[in-house]
Amino acid sequence: MTNYVIDPPAVTAVPVAGGGLFPVRRVFCVGRNYAEHTREMGGDPDREEPFFFMKPADALLINGADMPYPPKTGDLHHEMELVVAIGTGGRDIPEAEALNHVYGYAAGLDMTRRDLQGAAKKAGKPWDMGKGFDLSGPIGEIAPASHAGHPSAGKIELTVNSAVRQSSDLAKMIWSVPETISYLSGLVALAPGDLIFTGTPEGVAAVVKGDVLEGEIAGVGSVRTRIV
Ligand code: MN
C-alpha cells in the first residue's frame, strides 16, 4: 500500500510494431544534427558539438491522434526525426557498444513554436516553452531493432497535405546514433524507457490548422497527425 497524496502520474506508452507497449521515461532531443538544417537555422555545421534539450514524456502524441494548434504561437513548425528508444541504460557508453542499448526506432515529429524558440535564443533564455509544450511530440509505432535492425542510412521524408516538405537521408546525420548515445550517456545516465529524437533535416516550415502531416523513415515506420 503506497502513500501517495495524489494519484501518481500515468505512464506514457508508445505502441510497438507487432504488439506491446514501450513505456517512456524521458525524451531527449538533439539540436542541429543535419548540416543543411543547421545552415537554414543560421548555424555552422562544422563547429558545433552535439547539444540536447528535452520534452516531457507526456508531451508525446500517440497513434496518429490530432494535434491541437498550440497556444501562444503563430509559427508552429514541423521537424521530422528518427527516434531512438533506449532499452538498456548506462553511463559513459562506448560508441562500439551503443547499439546494444537500443530497443528500437520510430518516426517522430519535434513540433516547435519557432517564434517562442527564436525569442528565447535571442534573449539567451531556455528554449523549453518553444519545444516542450503539450502534445509537441507526435510519434509512430516503435520498430524493434531485433526485427528491423539498426538503420544508419535510408530515406527520411515528411509530406504536408501530400506535398513533400522534408526529404533527406539518415546517412546525413552529423552525429550518428552510436555517437549520440555515447555523448549523451557521458552527460547523464541513460535509462530504459528514454527516447532520443535525433534531429531534423532541412525544410522545416510552418503548418496551419487543417494540415495533415505524414512522415516516413525507410525500414523504420511512419508518423501521422492532423493539426486541428
Ligand atoms: Mn528537432
Side-chain angles (χ1 to χ4, degrees), residues 15 61-65 139-141 224:
L61 181 59
I62 312 289
N63 260 350
I139 186 169
E141 281 187 337
R224 182 185 192 281

Side-chain angles (χ1 to χ4, degrees), residues 132-159:
F133 54 93
D134 296 340
L135 307 179
S136 59
I139 186 169
E141 281 187 337
I142 293 175
S146 57
H147 293 92
H150 297 275
S152 57
K155 194 178 208 182
I156 175 170
E157 188 165 276
L158 178 75
T159 65

Side-chain angles (χ1 to χ4, degrees), residues 14-40:
V14 180
V16 173
L21 294 170
F22 182 89
V24 179
R25 183 164 189 266
R26 295 173 293 187
V27 180
F28 297 96
C29 304
V30 185
R32 297 180 195 149
N33 201 23
Y34 291 76
E36 287 303 321
H37 173 63
T38 303
R39 290 189 192 101
E40 77 182 352

Side-chain angles (χ1 to χ4, degrees), residues 66-213:
D66 290 345
M67 178 182 182
Y69 196 93
K72 308 293 182 190
T73 184
D75 198 21
L76 176 66
H77 276 209
H78 54 74
E79 295 192 358
M80 175 68 196
E81 311 201 359
L82 173 71
V83 182
V84 180
I86 298 293
T88 311
R91 64 175 79 239
D92 295 322
I93 298 168
E95 282 174 33
E97 291 172 25
L99 295 182
N100 299 330
H101 293 258
V102 175
Y103 173 79
Y105 299 87
L109 287 162
D110 167 19
M111 299 301 291
T112 301
R113 293 192 284 208
R114 193 71 74 199
D115 41 5
L116 297 195
Q117 185 201 26
K121 273 189 200 173
K122 209 169 179 178
K125 290 177 178 171
W127 294 7
D128 299 45
M129 291 301 107
K131 288 288 196 178
F133 54 93
D134 296 340
L135 307 179
S136 59
I139 186 169
E141 281 187 337
I142 293 175
S146 57
H147 293 92
H150 297 275
S152 57
K155 194 178 208 182
I156 175 170
E157 188 165 276
L158 178 75
T159 65
V160 177
N161 305 327
S162 300
V164 176
R165 281 273 190 93
Q166 293 188 268
S167 185
S168 187
D169 194 291
L170 297 177
K172 293 187 176 175
M173 286 198 285
I174 296 170
W175 300 92
S176 68
V177 169
E179 288 169 337
T180 298
I181 290 170
S182 181
Y183 196 100
L184 181 56
S185 73
L187 290 167
V188 294
L190 289 177
D194 288 340
L195 298 180
I196 307 171
F197 280 60
T198 58
T200 194
E202 68 276 16
V204 301
V207 293
V208 296
K209 282 183 191 174
D211 282 349
V212 175
L213 285 63

